Amino acid sequence: MDLGAITKYSALHAKPSGLILQYGTAGFRTKAEHLDHVMFRMGLLAVLRSKQTKSTIGVMVTASHNPEEDNGVKLVDPLGEMLAPSWEEHATCLANAEEQDMQRVLIDISEKEAVNLQQDAFVVIGRDTRPSSEKLSQSVIDGVTVLGGQFHDYGLLTTPQLHYMVYCRNTGGRYGKATIEGYYQKLSKAFVELTKQASCSGDEYRSLKVDCANGIGALKLREMEHYFSQGLSVQLFNDGSKGKLNHLCGADFVKSHQKPPQGMEIKSNERCCSFDGDADRIVYYYHDADGHFHLIDGDKIATLISSFLKELLVEIGESLNIGVVQTAYANGSSTRYLEEVMKVPVYCTKTGVKHLHHKAQEFDIGVYFEANGHGTALFSTAVEMKIKQSAKQLEDKKRKAAKMLENIIDLFNQVADRRVISTTNAERQAVTPPGLQEAINDLVKKYKLSRAFVRPSGTEDVVRVYAEADSQESADHLAHEVSLAVFQLAGGIGERPQPASDGEGTPH
């Protein structure tokens, strides 16, 4: 490790005085102008992680659903997974180190993790379409090269595409080709085959309106379109040609406001969906014949997928351990439906994809989606082999179900101070500040079939409030009252929370 060169280059990516950041569920996120030093240092860390694991590591420059002015970075582990928790701590320590402490911190990490500094390192890098992303990606490259790491810069990618590239490179191409074309070919082939076998009400030729949040999803979906042009017509909206990233559009906007994004007019029963800024969230929606808006969020997606998978397993006569993983913020009705009607076990974890993913790995088939549209289905290696074998050997009717499962596997198997509030019991109870949970309990008692939680956001300097009740009006009132309790007891700044008044049944 050339400590002199690191010190020299680090001075070119100086840390702003007094800035403290935390590597959370989504990596680092803040205003783009504060991130140059973080990007350089994450390039350094990616090299150390690559040397330790003897694998390719990914670095994604994005702030997902955050405003265009923000940016962020997260590291991707060898099998396309989130960074290991112990290395999240290293990331936080390294990002916050003062210049004079950089050498010591790097040496400490190397010694603690038994990193062989003579080992080769390889890092792949992707970025979203934010104006700041290209320059920040170069800062990552500076960090990689000063530690002697090799790299491949994929340029503009969605977050799922970078996860795919990492996984492919670390499985010797067995999962797929680590190229954009390889990604498109693998997913489109599985999608086309699956839709051939699935029944479809109405026209045989499917159409879909896609809100791309003025982000990277528009570029990549346009590239991918011709791969599945037979049987699917895609119309792109908020494609980045005008409008700001994630502004009045995208999955988070649609989910939060319970209405279509700006710039998309929808007729009754048209199929529509929205990505977020880095295209790793998706929610679906439509207007019924009476013009009412219907959202198919992550809770409903998980319910549909797990129900469909269970039906296919029954059809081919396989008894496998299938489970759905949710957070406390999942809709209670979806939980009850899965457990009581579908007889599918449901498990609760803390908020954040890494927590859901870890729990889902305990099952033969694990399905997880956050309500915001982050999620997937996981299939164990043994299940993959069993399903592929069934697709070849079973009689016609059962073979069709097994083939559908095989294609599904190919599609899915990828993988002031908000900290004043702390929680326990999978984020369903507030521990601090004192008196907040008691206030929430008293408010919940006022409404039928109600519950409410609060938690600090893992991606923004805000506190999330979740409220559920027997009617939208009651849920809105409960959410507002809980918001006021948070404002009063957790040191709220600025204007007091206002009640929902948009007439659209806005959840909180």
Side-chain angles (χ1 to χ4, degrees):
M1 194 184 322
D2 188 341
L3 296 176
I6 292 170
T7 300
K8 178 182 175 182
Y9 271 86
S10 183
L12 302 176
H13 302 278
K15 174 182 174 293
S17 178
L19 181 65
I20 301 295
L21 297 172
Q22 178 79 29
Y23 194 104
T25 299
F28 291 111
R29 285 189 194 169
T30 189
K31 297 297 182 186
E33 62 263 29
H34 299 322
L35 282 170
D36 179 58
H37 75 292
V38 173
M39 297 295 174
F40 172 74
R41 296 175 184 197
M42 290 308 99
L44 299 173
L45 192 71
V47 170
L48 294 182
R49 181 64 171 160
S50 177
K51 288 175 180 290
Q52 189 225 22
T53 60
K54 300 179 181 178
S55 305
T56 296
I57 296 297
V59 179
M60 185 69 197
V61 178
T62 182
S64 189
H65 64 281
N66 281 38
E68 187 172 273
E69 297 76 18
D70 292 354
N71 217 318
V73 60
K74 55 185 173 183
L75 273 62
V76 179
D77 256 1
L79 296 182
E81 298 174 299
M82 300 292 107
L83 185 63
S86 62
W87 281 77
E88 289 184 4
E89 296 177 16
H90 297 326
T92 297
C93 186
L94 185 59
N96 294 325
E98 299 302 331
E99 291 295 327
Q100 65 270 20
D101 297 325
M102 277 280 291
Q103 293 186 11
R104 177 186 58 77
V105 172
L106 287 168
I107 292 171
D108 285 350
I109 294 171
S110 300
E111 292 178 349
K112 184 174 182 179
E113 298 294 344
V115 177
N116 177 6
L117 296 175
Q118 305 307 312
Q119 174 70 38
D120 291 339
F122 198 87
V123 178
V124 293
I125 303 158
R127 68 177 189 269
D128 69 12
T129 55
R130 294 166 193 272
S132 60
S133 289
E134 186 171 6
K135 182 180 178 182
L136 292 175
S137 289
Q138 184 58 52
S139 299
V140 174
I141 292 170
D142 288 350
V144 172
T145 54
V146 76
L147 260 187
Q150 301 297 307
F151 71 91
H152 180 83
D153 182 9
Y154 280 100
L156 294 169
L157 285 183
T158 69
T159 293
Q161 285 176 333
L162 184 72
H163 284 258
Y164 168 87
M165 302 304 176
V166 173
Y167 191 27
C168 288
R169 285 178 175 270
N170 288 316
T171 52
R174 292 189 300 276
Y175 183 68
K177 296 178 182 177
T179 63
I180 292 292
E181 292 75 20
Y183 178 88
Y184 294 151
Q185 289 167 357
K186 181 179 178 67
L187 268 69
S188 62
K189 179 183 177 183
F191 175 79
V192 170
E193 289 299 315
L194 183 62
T195 52
K196 281 180 183 177
Q197 297 153 355
S199 60
C200 178
S201 59
D203 297 334
E204 284 301 311
Y205 196 73
R206 298 167 174 85
S207 62
L208 179 67
K209 289 185 171 181
V210 184
D211 160 32
C212 299
N214 290 316
I216 184 65
L219 298 179
K220 296 306 174 182
L221 190 53
R222 190 166 281 128
E223 290 175 1
M224 192 177 185
E225 247 183 301
H226 72 274
Y227 286 88
F228 48 62
S229 57
Q230 295 179 345
L232 180 65
S233 170
V234 177
Q235 291 179 267
L236 305 187
F237 297 84
N238 298 314
D239 63 357
S241 58
K242 57 183 180 180
K244 292 182 68 173
L245 179 71
N246 295 321
H247 181 61
L248 302 178
C249 59
D252 199 53
F253 173 86
V254 173
K255 166 70 176 150
S256 299
H257 291 82
Q258 297 281 303
K259 63 181 180 181
Q262 190 175 75
M264 180 192 286
E265 296 294 329
I266 63 176
K267 299 175 183 176
S268 63
N269 296 318
E270 285 185 323
R271 299 181 184 91
C272 307
C273 69
S274 287
F275 295 146
D276 64 345
D278 62 338
D280 70 345
R281 294 185 183 190
I282 189 168
V283 295
Y284 296 88
Y285 45 93
Y286 64 95
H287 276 160
D288 63 22
D290 295 323
H292 296 133
F293 178 83
H294 294 268
L295 176 69
I296 304 175
D297 62 6
D299 295 334
K300 293 178 181 176
I301 293 171
T303 301
L304 289 169
I305 290 173
S306 56
S307 300
F308 182 55
L309 290 173
K310 185 170 184 181
E311 289 173 6
L312 291 177
L313 291 171
V314 169
E315 196 164 325
I316 66 174
E318 289 287 357
S319 178
L320 297 172
N321 181 20
I322 183 170
V324 174
V325 186
Q326 296 181 329
T327 72
Y329 295 84
N331 187 288
S333 297
S334 70
T335 307
R336 288 191 293 273
Y337 177 82
L338 284 166
E339 291 183 329
E340 297 172 11
V341 179
M342 294 307 301
K343 307 300 182 186
V344 173
V346 178
Y347 299 85
C348 188
T349 71
K350 292 174 62 177
T351 302
V353 170
K354 65 182 180 183
H355 301 298
L356 291 108
H357 188 92
H358 180 73
K359 185 66 180 179
Q361 289 177 313
E362 296 178 11
F363 305 98
D364 293 331
I365 301 176
V367 179
Y368 69 86
F369 272 84
E370 293 183 298
N372 61 29
H374 270 139
T376 190
L378 298 177
F379 300 81
S380 69
T381 303
V383 167
E384 286 189 53
M385 294 176 62
K386 185 177 289 189
I387 296 301
K388 290 179 186 294
Q389 193 68 24
S390 297
K392 296 175 183 176
Q393 294 180 345
L394 293 173
E395 58 200 61
D396 286 347
K397 183 180 178 182
K398 291 183 177 180
R399 187 185 301 123
K400 179 181 177 181
K403 188 64 179 174
M404 291 178 79
L405 277 168
E406 185 178 1
N407 287 318
I408 289 170
I409 290 170
D410 285 340
L411 274 174
F412 276 110
N413 218 13
Q414 309 184 62
V415 200
D417 186 0
R418 65 187 187 239
R419 291 167 294 182
V420 71
I421 293 180
S422 60
T423 60
T424 187
N425 189 20
E427 300 181 317
R428 287 175 286 195
Q429 287 185 298
V431 177
T432 59
L436 178 57
Q437 186 58 51
E438 289 77 7
I440 293 172
N441 293 343
D442 290 341
L443 292 170
V444 165
K445 293 175 184 177
K446 295 166 58 178
Y447 300 92
K448 295 179 180 178
L449 298 175
S450 66
R451 57 184 188 146
F453 320 108
V454 299
R455 68 172 177 87
S457 170
T459 59
E460 301 167 76
D461 286 322
V462 296
V463 173
R464 304 289 187 195
V465 175
Y466 178 93
E468 188 177 305
D470 63 338
S471 70
Q472 185 65 60
E473 183 180 8
S474 294
D476 286 343
H477 284 308
L478 176 57
H480 178 234
E481 291 181 322
V482 172
S483 298
L484 287 173
V486 171
F487 187 87
Q488 293 163 357
L489 296 171
I493 58 175
E495 295 184 8
R496 292 166 64 84
Q498 298 299 310
S501 58
D502 59 10
E504 296 287 345
T506 303
H508 301 265

